Amino acid sequence: MLIRYKKSFEKIAMGLLSFMPDEKDIKKLQQSMKNYETDESKQLFLWKEDEDLIGLIGVEVHGNTVVLIDVSVNPSHRGQGVGRKMVTTVKEFYPDYEFDARKETAVFLAKCLDC
């Protein structure tokens, strides 16, 4: 189940976001979290299975385009289709929008949209 980010999930979200290749530096990670919290065009969602938060997906909305910024899954849950489920569910949140990605997430988004 996809849920919107709340401040109470900050540490979990930071942990999941730290799995992204360009989010290894703590200052960069903190700035990314601040951007999601303060920039109204950016939305952060967490993926919950049972009682565990195991995935994260971040998007930025510009007009009628949703840009996939970040997608991360806990390594112990990778290969189970969690990332694909997150993309599919986010698309349901924005049914009449075009989807795009930054270069770091473009290949993943293309795989998800081909299904």
Side-chain angles (χ1 to χ4, degrees):
M1 165 176 54
L2 202 65
I3 57 175
R4 289 190 187 272
Y5 169 80
K6 298 187 286 191
K7 185 74 172 167
S8 62
F9 297 140
E10 182 178 34
K11 287 183 181 179
I12 294 167
M14 284 181 72
L16 290 166
L17 194 58
S18 73
F19 294 126
M20 292 291 294
D22 57 342
E23 295 288 348
K24 299 298 182 193
D25 177 65
I26 189 70
K27 291 201 184 301
K28 169 92 170 72
L29 185 58
Q30 289 170 330
Q31 184 61 48
S32 294
M33 290 304 301
K34 184 177 180 182
N35 289 343
Y36 279 116
E37 292 171 0
T38 60
D39 186 340
E40 290 183 14
S41 68
K42 293 185 178 183
Q43 295 291 318
L44 189 61
F45 301 91
L46 298 166
W47 187 261
K48 185 176 183 179
E49 285 190 1
D50 299 320
E51 295 301 314
D52 297 324
L53 295 168
I54 62 168
L56 169 144
I57 187 166
V59 298
E60 187 168 10
V61 180
H62 296 285
N64 70 335
T65 302
V66 176
V67 179
L68 180 61
I69 300 172
D70 295 303
V71 62
S72 179
V73 176
N74 182 311
S76 63
H77 294 275
R78 290 184 183 162
Q80 299 173 9
V82 173
R84 188 175 307 251
K85 290 177 198 174
M86 288 190 296
V87 169
T88 301
T89 306
V90 165
K91 284 188 69 168
E92 292 170 3
F93 282 16
Y94 301 97
D96 299 323
Y97 288 70
E98 296 290 323
F99 272 73
D100 199 359
R102 63 186 184 117
K103 67 179 183 175
E104 293 84 356
T105 57
V107 172
F108 182 74
L109 180 64
K111 287 180 185 177
C112 291
L113 297 179
D114 283 343
C115 293

